Amino acid sequence: MKVLFVASECAPFVKTGGLADVIGAVPKTLAALGAEVRILLPAYPALREHAAAADTVLAIDDLFGGPAALRAVTAEGLDLLLLDAPHLFDRPGNIYLGPDGADWADNHLRFGALCRIGARVALDGVAGWAPDILHAHDWQAGLIPVYLRQAGGAVPKSVVTVHNIAFQGLFDAAVCAELGVEPESFVSERAEYFGKLGFLKGGLACCDRITTVSPTYARELLTPEFGMGLHGVLQARSADLSGILNGIDLDAWDPGADPSLAATYTARSLKKKAANRAAIEQRFGLDAAADGDGPLFCVVSRLTEQKGLDLLLAVLPGLVARGARLALLGSGDKSLEAGFVAAAHRFKGSVGVEIGYDEPLSHLMQGGSDAILIPSRFEPCGLTQLYGLRYGTLPVVARTGGLADTVIDANEAAILAGCATGVQFAPVTAQALDQAIARTCELYRQPALWQKMMRQAMKHPVGWDQSARAYLALYAGLLGEAPAEPAPA
Ligand SMILES: Nc1ncnc2c1ncn2[C@@H]1O[C@H](COP(=O)(O)OP(=O)(O)O[C@H]2O[C@H](CO)[C@@H](O)[C@H](O)[C@H]2O)[C@@H](O)[C@H]1O
């Protein structure tokens, strides 16, 4: 089975968030299960070297204002198709935002071009390779099913995965002509959304199947509270919508072999985590923990409304009063950044903050912290709690989306049954978060129980195997083939 992935980011080459981790990881497991996956990505500066070493498989004289080429290369075990269009993608800085912090003014052309070429590869194939399935991820690839519908005739089956419905790719109707979105597609049954062109809306309306990244979020998306204006579109297609939980790359995130850790460890050598904790204390200017102190919490996150970190700011005095400490790595919203920097001054020695994006440091934080805080208002799946589970860094999470699906709350029954892996709280309010932090501190003061939970967390299956099989079964269903073998229990 041949599958074309189309996305705007892919780890380890270019990453702003969890989408990149997924695109960089799941094709490897799909390949191990027998699928042939190619990933179509823009050739940003971070990929230029790979593009230069690649074979040119398609040349385009004019792609929305300049020449372009499609280049095929295998890198880091992934088969990439790089859309080399310097006028659209060869720019420094953030892949979505200009130096002023606003979206690049031509994002409709940049990702419209990605979609246009994605549709062309899906329809005509490239260098003798033609996909059976087109799998588009998030709004940046959302127009492909629209183009396929416009093409008519026999087109490959298409799947759209929603990683985050907060980003929808809405543009002025005037761009339709430039992008080749025909009037037949600019209707409310397809890509029109209240007078605008909606990349994601179009994808959701025109694809064969829709997935999102956890079963709970798949249900939440059907509600006005979580659907962010697209709940009606999703309700109309609810029979075609399912949630397939994200996994993580077990090689890239392995506490037993992680080169970013001060000391590697396994469930049998948990004491070694102390060396990582010491490295975090030094890096963040935190006082060393004394006997009887609370846990070291960490946060590794984009600082946005979604992640609920304003709530954490509100309850920080309580966290510190309980003898706990916090190390935060993140960037995003300027007022949240300023709030955490101010908190680090106010609670010097107990709260340490690094504003920025630092992949190796994010690993060290998982390796050395006791618990990871994720108070998200909504969370399609969330990956940092999965990294936390694998690293024995117990997740303290809002009961929403994939967080609800992956962390087993340490309530009395779960503790008795020996299956607790973290702490959940609801509703997503400062008060409930404060109580969850208090509960975590109580659990931490029972070392035997805490260690048991760490081991339990580290045993929780977080790899891709089961979910990759679910994607294969979905593809097979679309192609009318027998479903893949069920995942082993
Ligand atoms: N400052 C920083 N420095 C280093 N690393 C940082 C960082 N800030 C964040 N990261 C990393 O970025 C990734 C974030 O992934 P998440 O899945 O938690 O959220 P995100 O909202 O980006 O993804 C969206 O897509 C994914 C994928 O489907 C869904 O899991 C999720 O719910 C959805 O919101 C993690 O690998 C994390 O370690």
Side-chain angles (χ1 to χ4, degrees):
M1 184 187 301
K2 300 192 188 77
V3 185
L4 175 66
F5 266 40
V6 184
S8 58
E9 40 187 288
C10 176
F13 312 107
V14 55
K15 167 170 168 179
T16 73
L19 171 66
D21 298 70
V22 173
I23 304 301
V26 68
K28 290 183 197 161
T29 313
L30 287 172
L33 295 170
E36 229 181 84
V37 185
R38 302 214 174 160
I39 310 170
L40 171 60
L41 290 170
Y44 306 110
L47 279 155
R48 287 220 62 77
E49 232 173 83
H50 291 296
D55 298 328
T56 300
V57 290
L58 181 70
I60 308 129
D61 291 340
D62 182 10
L63 182 64
F64 301 154
L70 197 59
R71 309 200 196 275
V73 67
T74 301
E76 305 282 349
L78 299 167
D79 291 324
L80 307 178
L81 289 169
L82 300 176
L83 178 56
D84 193 354
H87 62 296
L88 299 173
F89 301 119
D90 193 8
R91 321 177 170 173
N94 187 289
I95 56 174
Y96 306 119
L97 313 173
D100 56 355
D103 289 350
W104 291 108
D106 59 350
N107 270 353
H108 61 290
L109 289 180
R110 299 173 74 229
F111 297 108
L114 182 70
C115 292
R116 197 86 191 159
I117 297 305
R120 181 151 166 191
V121 174
L123 288 167
D124 303 338
V126 72
W129 186 88
D132 305 302
I133 298 280
L134 172 275
H135 193 154
H137 296 266
D138 271 354
W139 77 263
Q140 294 87 354
L143 270 193
I144 303 175
V146 178
Y147 287 135
L148 294 182
R149 189 72 80 84
Q150 265 181 205
V155 302
K157 298 290 183 189
S158 58
V159 179
V160 169
T161 293
V162 177
H163 295 265
N164 196 335
I165 206 153
F167 304 104
Q168 300 184 357
L170 283 177
F171 299 99
D172 206 88
V175 307
C176 286
E178 258 177 306
L179 295 178
V181 172
E182 289 167 10
E184 66 177 74
S185 297
F186 193 67
V187 291
S188 64
E189 296 77 21
R190 297 197 190 175
E192 187 261 349
Y193 182 77
F194 293 104
K196 296 204 158 213
L197 172 67
F199 273 48
L200 183 60
K201 155 81 196 290
L204 296 176
C206 295
C207 69
D208 293 296
R209 287 294 300 265
I210 302 168
T211 71
T212 188
V213 288
S214 70
T216 293
Y217 193 62
R219 288 190 297 275
E220 289 173 343
L221 276 178
L222 301 176
T223 66
E225 189 189 349
F226 291 95
M228 299 202 173
L230 289 176
H231 51 282
V233 179
L234 288 160
Q235 279 166 10
R237 299 223 49 199
S238 60
D240 299 317
L241 167 69
S242 55
I244 298 178
L245 208 54
N246 280 339
I248 63 172
D249 185 330
L250 298 178
D251 296 327
W253 293 89
D254 177 3
D258 190 329
S260 301
L261 299 189
T264 55
Y265 60 95
T266 66
R268 278 193 297 267
S269 56
L270 291 175
K271 282 205 169 77
K272 290 195 191 162
K273 227 169 145 40
N276 298 315
R277 188 177 314 124
I280 294 176
E281 287 165 353
Q282 197 183 14
R283 173 96 183 229
F284 284 84
L286 296 173
D287 299 333
D291 274 354
D293 272 0
L296 170 59
F297 289 99
C298 75
V299 169
V300 179
S301 185
R302 296 185 292 111
L303 302 181
T304 61
E305 162 86 8
Q306 173 191 349
K307 303 294 181 181
L309 294 164
D310 48 315
L311 305 175
L312 177 59
L313 263 184
V315 304
L316 265 187
L319 182 150
V320 173
R322 291 185 190 99
R325 294 166 304 148
L326 171 73
L328 176 140
L329 167 65
S331 60
D333 183 296
K334 295 298 160 210
S335 68
L336 282 173
E337 289 183 358
F340 278 106
V341 169
H345 286 298
R346 179 171 167 203
F347 300 112
K348 206 169 172 352
S350 296
V351 174
V353 168
E354 191 153 322
I355 300 300
Y357 190 94
D358 188 329
E359 188 75 23
L361 181 58
S362 74
H363 285 242
L364 177 66
M365 293 177 74
Q366 296 281 5
S369 306
D370 298 303
I372 180 159
L373 284 166
I374 313 171
S376 304
R377 292 193 165 84
F378 69 96
E379 196 59 78
C381 179
L383 296 174
T384 55
Q385 84 280 14
L386 302 181
Y387 301 140
L389 290 171
R390 179 134 165 95
Y391 281 64
T393 300
L394 302 188
V396 179
V397 303
R399 186 175 300 131
T400 186
L403 299 173
D405 292 341
T406 52
V407 176
I408 301 173
D409 179 63
N411 56 45
E412 222 171 300
I415 289 174
L416 271 176
C419 63
T421 58
V423 170
Q424 287 193 2
F425 67 93
V428 191
T429 60
Q431 194 188 4
L433 171 60
D434 189 53
Q435 283 165 5
I437 289 171
R439 200 147 65 85
T440 308
C441 290
E442 276 165 35
L443 292 164
Y444 184 76
R445 292 203 166 91
Q446 304 167 62
L449 172 58
W450 187 268
Q451 285 207 6
K452 192 168 170 200
M453 284 177 64
M454 286 171 79
R455 290 204 180 88
Q456 196 58 38
M458 292 174 87
K459 271 199 281 183
H460 189 94
V462 289
W464 268 109
D465 196 64
Q466 200 163 335
S467 297
R469 284 175 198 272
Y471 280 120
L472 277 186
L474 184 132
Y475 301 151
L478 281 173
L479 298 175
E481 296 173 0
E485 283 169 43

